[in-house]
Amino acid sequence: MLADKLVLTVDDSRTVRRFLRTLLTTHGCKVEEAASGQEAVRMSTEKMYDLILLDLLLPDLDGIEVLRRIRQKDQTAAIVVLTGMGGIKSATTAVREGADGYITKQDLSVGGEAQEFFYALEQAMEHRAGLVAQKQLQELRADFYSMITHDLRNPTSSILLTLQLLLEESIDPLTENQRELLMIAQNAAEKLRRLVDEFLDFAKIDAGYLRLNPDMADLRTVVEESVRLAELQAQARRQTLTLKLPSEPVTGWVDAERMKRVVENLVSNAVKYTPEGGQITVELNATDGIAELRVSDTGIGIPPEQLPALFQKYYRVSAAGTKGIRGTGLGLLIVKEIVEAHGGTVRAESEGSGKGSTFIVRIPLRTPE
Ligand code: ADP
């Protein structure tokens, strides 16, 4: 791993520098030297080193300060600090400031274990390579999110808005045929936006930063609006979609957009996994400060042994009934993450294949803290 690496050694002692040069060149490294902190900072801005060995006791600048200045400009070089006896405290400070490892000078002294020295250097280089790769991945992810948001979500929203304007006949009256075609387009664009939102949520969940935007909302409205979206889908499959809402408001501190996604995912699964002519029931109730949503269908059901795995990433039931039904296996994972972020639970019940399924979401009805 060290062969051909460009190494900068920083130490005011010529003897130490010479010793390090001998040791490192025998392992195929190219070595350059700095005798002071200032020189080290200057050299590291002029060239990209793979590894910097930095003594913390320098005549001109504090070693930690040198480390800080190097790190400001260079995130990719592995830095290993050299400490004296009892230098553990400064070594830990150095690691906090961006060093990738430390070596005590005694380990370097004649008779010290060269093997351990090289092992420590390799460890430090691996540590840095890991951080660099992680950062690149994060940047790639950030680019990907913004690509999805700008290049897919925004145009989809403007398509939806345009279609809505046409359908409202605020521009020109429509013939029945035109209206029907525009509604098909609207339905498809809505599906696309849902898919994009699902991927965005999944990406956030995967990166570990799904944050809710809660507000006081009546869950009856949330459920009603989401079910309305699925009505067309259900009609197309000649299914009966029944909505049962309580007469009193079910008000809680929730992220209404995210909760809509929960309901939409569950209802669109019910539509998808229920054959033509089946029945789907969506019911909302509230008791003792807990809202309970039940989405049940008379569809293909779920084998009991597969129930616990449903909410895992990419999980899709393997059974004859699911063949030919398209999906990503992400919808239920997103449901679970959103529900849990609200302090709630979700579970599935089914008597088995062909016997329908029920998904039950329970959420505490909180008020803002
Ligand atoms: P998908 O995109 O595959 O629908 P989900 O995460 O939403 O992904 O669901 C995971 C799996 O759970 C589905 O592939 C399906 O096998 C099963 N499933 C979900 N909802 C139902 C349902 N209402 N009836 C039967 N099976 C279902």
Side-chain angles (χ1 to χ4, degrees), residues 269-270 272-273 297 300-302 310 315-317 322 326-333 357 359:
N269 272 353
K272 205 160 70 165
Y273 296 104
D297 62 59
I300 62 170
I302 299 155
L310 285 187
Y315 191 84
R316 305 202 67 216
V317 171
T322 53
R326 295 220 284 185
T328 54
L330 295 178
L332 288 181
L333 168 79
S357 320
F359 284 81

Side-chain angles (χ1 to χ4, degrees), residues 355-367:
K355 297 193 176 149
S357 320
T358 302
F359 284 81
I360 302 138
V361 172
R362 287 167 65 85
I363 287 196
L365 292 170
R366 296 171 173 157
T367 44

Side-chain angles (χ1 to χ4, degrees), residues 35-159:
S36 69
Q38 306 257 23
E39 200 182 355
V41 174
R42 182 183 51 74
M43 287 175 77
S44 73
T45 47
E46 286 167 1
K47 232 184 228 174
M48 297 282 283
Y49 292 95
D50 297 303
L51 175 66
I52 299 174
L53 288 175
L54 173 67
D55 183 18
L56 286 183
L57 286 177
L58 294 165
D60 55 341
L61 287 172
D62 173 41
I64 298 290
E65 184 53 30
V66 177
L67 171 65
R68 245 180 240 141
R69 291 193 198 174
I70 295 177
R71 265 289 169 255
Q72 267 171 14
K73 304 247 165 59
D74 183 346
Q75 306 291 322
T76 57
I79 302 181
V80 174
V81 294
L82 304 172
T83 62
M85 276 280 263
I88 279 290
K89 200 160 164 256
S90 44
T92 10
T93 314
V95 169
R96 225 181 10 247
E97 293 290 339
D100 300 283
Y102 62 90
I103 293 171
T104 53
K105 280 206 174 155
Q106 297 79 266
D107 293 340
L108 278 180
S109 59
V110 188
E113 286 289 327
Q115 237 175 333
E116 271 177 32
F117 168 71
F118 284 112
Y119 179 71
L121 297 191
E122 278 175 4
Q123 288 282 300
M125 289 186 65
E126 261 174 39
H127 177 254
R128 185 50 41 185
L131 290 182
V132 171
Q134 205 179 344
K135 191 156 174 275
Q136 280 169 346
L137 198 68
Q138 268 166 0
E139 281 167 7
L140 207 69
R141 268 189 176 156
D143 285 353
F144 183 64
Y145 296 159
S146 63
M147 187 277 282
I148 290 197
T149 319
H150 297 111
D151 298 355
L152 283 175
R153 201 181 188 284
N154 294 352
T156 314
S157 300
S158 56
I159 293 174

Side-chain angles (χ1 to χ4, degrees), residues 288-303:
D288 300 331
I290 300 213
E292 186 179 274
L293 172 80
R294 298 177 83 88
V295 179
S296 31
D297 62 59
T298 56
I300 62 170
I302 299 155

